[in-house]
Amino acid sequence: MSGTKVHKPPTIAVVLAAGRGTRMRSSRPKVLHRAAGRPLLGWVLRAAAAAGCEKVVVVVGHESQKVRGAFSGGETELEILWVEQAEQKGTGDALARAVAVLDSPARLLVLSGDVPLVRGETLGAMLAETGEGWALAVADLEEPGSLGRVIASGDGGLKRIVEAADAEPDELAVRAVNAGIYVVPSAGIGPYLSRLRPGNAQGELYLTDAFGDAVEAGVGVRLFSLPDPDEALGVNDRSDLARAHRALLDRKCGQLMAAGVTILEPARTVIEADVEIGADSEIHPGVTILGSTVVGSDTTVHSGAVIQDSRIGTGVEIGPMTVLEEATIEDDCRVGPYARLRPGAHLGSGSRIGNFVEIKNATLGKGVKAGHLSYLGDAQIGDRANIGAGTVTCNYDGKEKHRTEIGEAAFIGSDTMLVAPVRVGEGATTAAGSVITQDVPDGGLGVSRARQRNVEGWVERRDRGQPKSGGSKN
Ligand code: UD1
Ligand code: MG
């Protein structure tokens, strides 16, 4: 034996993701359903990458083009080798397809595309503990539902796995479930996969039967207990999906709270996985923070706010029912309640945006105030400008968008219509109710409205049935 080099086979993740997911009652492939903002398969691929697998084989079948398309943009750092399982004959057949494309023996980390809560570190621990052998991840669930039951042998090892659909009542009562996560040598499992027969309730080639057969033939299968039973949550129907979604969100809230963020009611808070929030920020119940949003420290987000892909500084207050999408808010701003910031809205520090103000593709300088009922689109607004209630940038002429420029410390009177392209100069004022169609010079007043006239005694004459217009015929 001396001189023989022992090569450790590489570890390759295999994700089984070809199934129809019939119980989802969906026209979409099951693994593309989203939980906490990410497709189920996306969660699994992340875990595989975090576990240190070198590459991943993903078995797809039902609507495979859609599944491949969803992961064509570098969603995972792993190299993906796609394998087709044209007919979904069961998990055993799916794994056999993957084994068939490998050109040399490998250690396989087999994952189910519909088990999204598994953590990379858990998989890493399972691989380390299993070495070159066989292992199966198990968890004790209070409601084992439709998951396969793990029947232990007398000495506590694996005897076999029974699917819920095939189980006798005493087997159904078993709470130890198969999480659908396995470590196997590709060369070892191959023969058992090729011998599978579909003699079961679902008429499928069960991967789980290969484990039972291997055990019968004397193969030792380690039972790896998942540290967190949630990691075993498989998504077979919409109720499972809701449970997985909530569990992933709870996990995110837990991480944020551990890092010093106050979340008053985690169970009523939606914060997606990639969101970052600084310490001492406070998130009130019923808040939704999505996508790549980054929130600084000491910022408060009140109930009903929906925030997507936005950047928010420190010391900011986001009022109730405020909606932000691709917006940037610098430090110490107060926004809302009931404000709407659309893509390209950028608030300079210390700005105040009040209720029913909509901002789109507009940059506001420091300390700008727009307190009420306004639309500011395609605009550049200088520091300390004051935007009166009911101001509208009339940015669209029916064909094209035009820009409005408002200088530093300008005062826009209430109900000003700014017909773009137009510029209001630094320190300039527009009179309330004006329709501004021409530039207003720095320090000037723009006024465009009919002069007011008062008609003395008009109400009394109306009530006596006399002519309603003024006494004179001018
Ligand atoms: C499977 C296990 C069950 C385990 C559970 C964990 C089997 C027979 N049963 O049951 O013991 O508790 O997972 O969640 O394996 N798939 C394919 N090709 C197919 C069939 C399925 O790729 O022909 C994929 C599915 O897309 C899914 C995964 O394999 O991602 C599991 O299949 P699913 O039908 O959900 O099996 P379960 O009934 O959940
Ligand atoms: Mg499943």
Side-chain angles (χ1 to χ4, degrees):
M1 291 292 268
S2 63
T4 314
K5 260 195 173 167
V6 182
H7 288 287
K8 259 193 164 182
T11 302
I12 296 177
V14 176
V15 184
L16 310 181
R20 303 186 73 84
T22 319
R23 278 187 282 150
M24 295 296 283
R25 307 258 183 272
S26 174
S27 62
R28 205 181 315 157
K30 175 165 75 174
V31 294
L32 290 190
H33 281 269
R34 299 174 88 82
R38 227 175 250 159
L40 298 178
L41 179 55
W43 287 103
V44 178
L45 291 174
R46 283 206 174 207
C53 295
E54 282 143 60
K55 67 174 175 183
V56 57
V57 179
V58 182
V59 185
V60 283
H62 177 64
E63 300 256 35
S64 62
Q65 287 311 322
K66 275 194 194 160
V67 180
R68 287 175 183 225
F71 292 90
S72 57
E75 283 74 7
T76 165
E77 58 261 46
L78 281 178
E79 180 197 339
I80 302 182
L81 179 64
W82 298 99
V83 171
E84 291 282 339
Q85 184 198 24
E87 210 185 317
Q88 284 80 63
K89 294 183 188 163
T91 47
D93 179 65
L95 181 58
R97 306 275 147 187
V99 171
V101 301
L102 301 175
D103 40 24
S104 56
R107 176 165 72 146
L108 305 181
L109 171 63
V110 182
L111 302 167
S112 301
D114 63 348
V115 180
L117 274 110
V118 67
R119 293 178 169 91
E121 65 210 72
T122 302
L123 296 176
M126 184 176 174
L127 286 166
E129 213 180 284
T130 310
E132 308 295 306
W134 294 47
L136 169 79
V138 297
D140 268 344
L141 295 189
E142 281 192 14
E143 290 179 36
S146 65
L147 296 182
R149 307 298 201 267
V150 175
I151 310 298
S153 65
D155 59 6
L158 174 70
K159 187 173 178 206
R160 62 194 185 99
I161 304 159
V162 184
E163 291 308 295
D166 303 294
E168 301 295 337
D170 59 326
E171 292 168 328
L172 265 187
V174 170
R175 283 168 39 178
V177 299
N178 165 26
I181 299 163
Y182 319 83
V183 179
V184 282
S186 63
I189 191 138
Y192 297 102
L193 294 176
S194 54
R195 269 181 248 143
L196 289 175
R197 293 290 171 265
N200 52 57
Q202 301 179 85
E204 289 185 358
L205 300 173
Y206 286 167
L207 167 55
T208 44
D209 284 350
F211 274 76
D213 295 347
V215 166
E216 225 169 78
V219 174
V221 176
R222 184 184 280 269
L223 296 180
F224 177 84
S225 273
L226 291 172
D228 168 7
D230 272 358
E231 291 184 80
L233 227 160
V235 175
N236 289 330
D237 58 29
R238 306 267 180 167
S239 299
D240 295 335
L241 184 67
R243 216 172 300 144
H245 173 75
R246 192 60 254 172
L248 287 161
L249 295 175
D250 287 345
R251 188 183 280 182
K252 177 69 179 181
C253 283
Q255 288 162 356
L256 290 168
M257 290 189 288
V261 177
T262 294
I263 300 178
L264 292 171
E265 293 191 29
R268 293 212 285 136
T269 304
V270 172
I271 302 175
E272 285 184 353
D274 293 335
V275 170
E276 293 172 28
I277 304 180
D280 286 324
S281 282
E282 193 172 297
I283 311 298
H284 286 236
V287 163
T288 301
I289 310 182
L290 307 173
S292 60
T293 298
V294 178
V295 179
S297 50
D298 278 311
T299 283
T300 302
V301 184
H302 289 273
S303 298
V306 180
I307 303 174
Q308 166 128 32
D309 299 325
S310 294
R311 301 189 78 80
I312 299 172
T314 65
V316 173
E317 188 159 346
I318 304 292
M321 305 299 169
T322 292
V323 178
L324 312 178
E325 186 189 353
E326 292 175 40
T328 303
I329 297 173
E330 292 183 15
D331 300 347
D332 304 315
C333 288
R334 288 172 66 196
V335 181
Y338 295 101
R340 178 170 182 215
L341 271 56
R342 293 169 49 203
H346 186 133
L347 306 189
S349 56
S351 292
R352 278 281 299 115
I353 302 302
N355 40 240
F356 306 107
V357 174
E358 175 181 348
I359 303 179
K360 181 219 71 170
N361 190 26
T363 300
L364 279 58
K366 296 183 180 32
V368 170
K369 289 184 182 156
H372 337 261
L373 301 160
S374 291
Y375 171 61
L376 304 171
D378 302 305
Q380 179 83 33
I381 300 176
D383 294 349
R384 301 183 316 285
N386 187 93
I387 312 294
T391 295
V392 172
T393 54
C394 309
N395 57 335
Y396 186 50
D397 61 11
K399 281 192 182 139
E400 282 175 62
K401 297 278 169 70
H402 302 281
R403 292 192 67 78
T404 298
E405 222 184 292
I406 296 172
E408 269 183 42
F411 180 93
I412 306 299
S414 293
D415 199 26
T416 296
M417 300 292 119
L418 296 156
V419 181
V422 74
R423 174 176 189 278
V424 177
E426 282 179 24
T429 290
T430 66
S434 290
V435 178
I436 302 295
T437 54
Q438 295 164 28
D439 290 355
V440 181
D442 293 353
L445 168 71
V447 54
S448 79
R449 60 184 189 209
R451 192 175 285 279
Q452 178 175 341
R453 71 187 171 110
N454 292 337
V455 181
E456 297 285 343
W458 181 90
V459 173
E460 201 190 330
R461 282 198 298 283
R462 179 197 62 189
D463 292 348
R464 277 199 259 116
Q466 289 188 3
K468 289 200 178 97
S469 63
S472 63
K473 288 213 158 74
N474 56 359

